[in-house]
Amino acid sequence: MFGNDISIDLGTATMLVYIKGKGIVLDEPTVIAVDTDKNEVVGVGTEALEMLGRTPPNIKAVRPLHDGVISYYTLAQEMIRRLIRKALHRVPGRPRIMMCVPSGITDVEQRAVIEAAREVGARDIYIIEEPVAAALGAGRDISQARGTMVIDIGGGTTDIAVIALGGVVCSRSMKIAGDEFTEEIIRYMRKEMNLHIGPRTAEKLKCTVGGVVKRDKEIVCTAKGISAITGIPKSVTVSSNDLYNIFEEFVYNITERAREVLEETPPELHGDIIQDGIILTGGGAMLYGLDRRISDTIGVECHLADDIIQCVVKGSGIALEQIDSVADPTHVYHKKAYIHEG
């Protein structure tokens, strides 16, 4: 990887930019804020996140990527363009960019990503799917005839794949991930505690007391919101014992899709997966006890990847580095490549 080459993990919740030797140079929420009266962007990333749920009627703060795909095409392109430009002030010249995208992205959405990168002066642009990048970032040599299974639980999608000889053998992608966990907490608080809370409060509860198994030692957290009965501000105490069983449907769906992938996997690769275990990556995989639940249900040990949040973006950097070691630069672990001429 040359000094001005960068890899980008374009997630539903967060965009990470990685430069070899420098590490993560950008870690920003994928949020954009627009003044609808003036039809102009007033903030992206962290600045826009602070506006979510707090803006006057003319300011609209949105996440243009939803469930792993682009739901607001123009806003997504502008957000990506601005965040890349923010990262590029650290990079001289015209860099090569490896874009890591959800496996469910369409060709039209992929073109939006490519055009945004091209307009900020990228020399070459490559695309890699998240499960492949996750395996590389976890330190697996996926070029060998050995099966590697990855479950990448991001903000909007969960990608489950078995990889061997540099390619995906079989996979599943589902729109159940960290954002759905957060939404379920919002629904639970409204129904069971008569409290309306926002996504940021729900995210705090998920990270602090959320889980899918009962903890040996109960922990509590205070949540503030609006009473569904009186309409005035209210705070309640939420226990880990309140939340551990509200995600059962999500756990079931994830484990069933993992079971389906294993059933489609050639028998020759099963021994590799049983011996090496399943790699869990992505912020959603950090939900307390989720690795144990998956292991117990499908009978294969699960391991949380090191640098679980940065694993995917580091893997895409490894893929970009390996482009220089093969004769055909379009025949590496990425799905498609765009070469900017001139």
Side-chain angles (χ1 to χ4, degrees):
M1 185 186 258
F2 297 128
N4 64 344
D5 290 343
I6 68 176
S7 59
I8 298 173
D9 177 12
L10 179 61
T12 300
T14 307
M15 178 168 160
L16 298 172
V17 177
Y18 174 83
I19 302 177
K20 187 178 181 182
K22 296 182 180 179
I24 303 295
V25 299
L26 183 105
D27 181 352
E28 297 264 1
T30 46
V31 181
I32 185 169
V34 180
D35 186 328
T36 55
D37 289 344
K38 299 179 181 179
N39 195 29
E40 63 182 31
V41 175
V42 295
V44 296
T46 302
E47 181 183 12
L49 179 65
E50 294 297 325
M51 301 179 188
L52 271 177
R54 301 170 180 260
T55 59
N58 63 305
I59 304 295
K60 184 179 181 182
V62 298
R63 293 186 180 274
L65 281 76
H66 182 68
D67 288 341
V69 296
I70 294 175
S71 52
Y72 299 92
Y73 183 96
T74 303
L75 290 180
Q77 194 170 42
E78 181 62 22
M79 178 194 69
I80 295 166
R81 183 185 299 116
R82 287 180 179 236
L83 289 177
I84 292 177
R85 187 175 291 120
K86 186 174 182 178
L88 284 184
H89 80 277
R90 301 170 178 265
V91 182
R94 298 168 59 208
R96 297 185 305 175
I97 295 179
M98 179 70 80
M99 300 287 295
C100 185
V101 298
S103 58
I105 196 170
T106 66
D107 288 341
V108 172
E109 292 163 343
Q110 181 173 284
R111 177 55 56 181
V113 171
I114 290 172
E115 287 301 316
R118 183 182 64 82
E119 289 183 19
V120 297
R123 175 162 56 93
D124 300 340
I125 304 163
Y126 302 94
I127 300 294
I128 186 172
E129 293 181 273
E130 288 177 353
V132 179
L136 287 168
R140 298 293 178 89
D141 181 1
I142 63 173
S143 66
Q144 302 301 311
R146 185 174 185 84
T148 296
M149 186 167 179
V150 175
I151 301 179
D152 178 54
I153 307 175
T157 59
T158 292
D159 289 304
I160 305 169
V162 171
I163 303 159
L165 291 172
V168 174
V169 178
C170 51
S171 66
R172 289 287 188 280
S173 183
M174 56 193 301
K175 300 185 190 308
I176 292 177
D179 289 348
E180 284 294 321
F181 298 153
T182 303
E183 287 296 323
E184 186 61 26
I185 291 175
I186 292 175
R187 288 190 287 267
Y188 171 84
M189 296 297 291
R190 182 173 60 245
K191 180 180 179 181
E192 301 297 332
M193 297 195 173
N194 295 314
L195 188 71
H196 292 293
I197 62 172
R200 298 183 69 181
T201 299
E203 182 75 18
K204 176 186 175 183
L205 289 173
K206 180 178 70 176
C207 296
T208 306
V209 298
V212 295
V213 298
K214 192 171 184 178
R215 300 176 191 246
D216 295 333
K217 184 177 181 180
E218 181 183 10
I219 57 176
V220 297
C221 181
T222 300
K224 299 177 181 179
I226 300 295
S227 170
I229 298 174
T230 65
I232 62 175
K234 174 185 175 182
S235 64
V236 299
T237 299
V238 184
S239 162
S240 56
N241 289 346
D242 295 326
L243 300 182
Y244 81 92
N245 61 356
I246 71 172
F247 305 114
E248 285 301 305
E249 182 180 352
F250 303 140
V251 174
Y252 173 79
N253 283 320
I254 291 173
T255 54
E256 282 301 298
R257 299 298 85 74
R259 199 193 303 272
E260 289 173 4
V261 169
L262 282 171
E263 289 174 352
E264 293 180 10
T265 299
E268 290 80 3
L269 300 179
H270 279 197
D272 303 332
I273 296 170
I274 292 172
Q275 181 176 342
D276 297 340
I278 298 171
I279 304 168
L280 294 185
T281 66
M286 298 174 67
L287 188 64
Y288 181 82
L290 185 56
D291 54 339
R292 278 189 278 161
R293 287 292 303 276
I294 296 174
S295 296
D296 293 343
T297 302
I298 64 178
V300 179
E301 193 70 26
C302 291
H303 309 287
L304 296 177
D306 295 334
D307 297 323
I308 192 168
I309 301 296
Q310 302 176 4
C311 185
V312 169
V313 72
K314 289 182 177 179
S316 60
I318 292 170
L320 183 55
E321 183 177 26
Q322 292 177 351
I323 288 176
D324 297 322
S325 65
V326 294
D328 179 5
T330 64
H331 187 64
V332 281
Y333 308 123
H334 54 83
K335 182 170 58 176
K336 294 182 179 179
Y338 171 85
I339 311 298
H340 179 60
E341 303 292 346

